């Protein structure tokens, strides 16, 4: 089934195109693949990047939109990624990067395209576990910038995944979040002020 990629905000795409067209931005990027790419580099597959900051004992999750990530394609493969962030003045280019998550994202998207159900792809970062997942949201008409993982949505951990969690194996949110809850180090309780 086809994936229903949500449209990125136009200013986010423009900021990435501007950065790609800037020899200074590309030259100063810490992405050797992008600097040495032969042929035009184009931003594709904009994915909203959500962050899972808090897991409760029940596994309930609160997410926030952190930005939009674009795979940068040169020829037949993604060589890097570009990230944008929301500023007080609107969407702005943040940085280029490369590494294992670029190829892993591309692989997970190809894998998702072979599934029987249609999904809206997003990225979900779990900073407490240094984990990034492809979040396959079941409501293809939803605004990609909002919402939270539904129990029936799928999460596909990207490589490298934390120890004990298989990369590229789809999990229902209802099954994976409780596992993650036990693995995330609890935040320390706030210190209560002592009377003087």
């Amino acid at each position: 089934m086809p994936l229903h990629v949500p449209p990125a905000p136009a200013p986010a795409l423009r900021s990435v195109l501007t950065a790609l067209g800037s020899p200074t931005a590309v030259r100063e990027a810490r992405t050797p693949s992008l600097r040495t790419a032969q042929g035009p580099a184009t931003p594709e597959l904009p994915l909203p990047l959500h962050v899972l900051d808090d897991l409760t004992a029940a596994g309930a999750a609160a997410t926030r939109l952190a930005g939009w990530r674009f795979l940068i394609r040169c020829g037949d493969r993604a060589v890097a990624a570009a990230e944008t962030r929301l500023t007080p003045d609107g969407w702005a280019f943040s940085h280029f990067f490369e590494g294992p998550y670029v190829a892993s994202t591309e692989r997970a998207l190809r894998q998702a395209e072979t599934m029987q159900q249609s999904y809206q792809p997003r990225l979900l970062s779990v900073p407490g576990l240094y984990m990034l997942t492809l979040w396959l949201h079941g409501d293809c008409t939803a605004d990609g910038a909002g919402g939270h993982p539904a129990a029936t949505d799928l999460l596909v951990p990207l490589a490298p995944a934390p120890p004990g969690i298989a990369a590229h194996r789809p999990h229902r949110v209802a099954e994976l979040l409780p596992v993650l809850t036990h693995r995330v180090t609890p935040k320390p309780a706030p210190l209560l002020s002592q009377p003087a």
Side-chain angles (χ1 to χ4, degrees):
M1 285 282 181
L3 293 175
H4 296 271
V5 179
L13 176 58
R14 278 194 306 271
S15 72
V16 171
L17 290 169
T18 300
L20 280 171
S22 164
T24 304
V26 172
R27 189 173 49 251
E28 291 179 2
R30 294 187 180 139
T31 54
S33 320
L34 187 58
R35 286 196 309 265
T36 60
Q38 299 296 316
T42 56
E44 295 182 356
L45 294 167
L47 298 173
L49 174 62
H50 294 261
V51 176
L52 180 63
D53 286 320
D54 198 24
L55 286 169
T56 67
T63 63
R64 63 179 170 81
L65 180 67
W68 284 80
R69 185 173 291 179
F70 297 77
L71 291 180
I72 305 300
R73 184 167 303 282
C74 187
D76 62 346
R77 69 182 188 92
V79 296
E83 202 159 293
T84 62
R85 60 185 169 81
L86 190 59
T87 69
D89 295 325
W91 288 100
F93 172 75
S94 176
H95 61 281
F96 291 116
F97 65 94
E98 62 181 69
Y101 285 134
V102 174
S104 188
T105 301
E106 196 171 37
R107 176 182 169 187
L109 287 165
R110 281 194 311 268
Q111 179 183 356
E113 287 175 342
T114 66
M115 295 181 176
Q116 296 299 316
Q117 182 178 338
S118 293
Y119 289 101
Q120 181 188 81
R122 304 169 175 197
L123 293 171
L124 181 65
S125 172
V126 186
L129 291 175
Y130 301 100
M131 179 179 180
L132 184 64
T133 69
L134 178 64
W135 167 14
L136 298 173
H137 190 53
D139 182 359
C140 296
T141 62
D143 177 3
H148 60 279
T152 57
D153 287 353
L154 296 179
L155 296 177
V156 182
L158 301 180
I165 297 176
H168 297 286
R169 182 172 173 259
H171 301 271
R172 294 236 177 261
V173 167
E175 298 163 358
L176 187 58
L177 282 188
V179 171
L180 299 182
T181 302
H182 294 295
R183 303 205 51 188
V184 172
T185 305
K187 293 179 184 174
L191 296 174
L192 300 175
S193 60
Q194 298 292 328

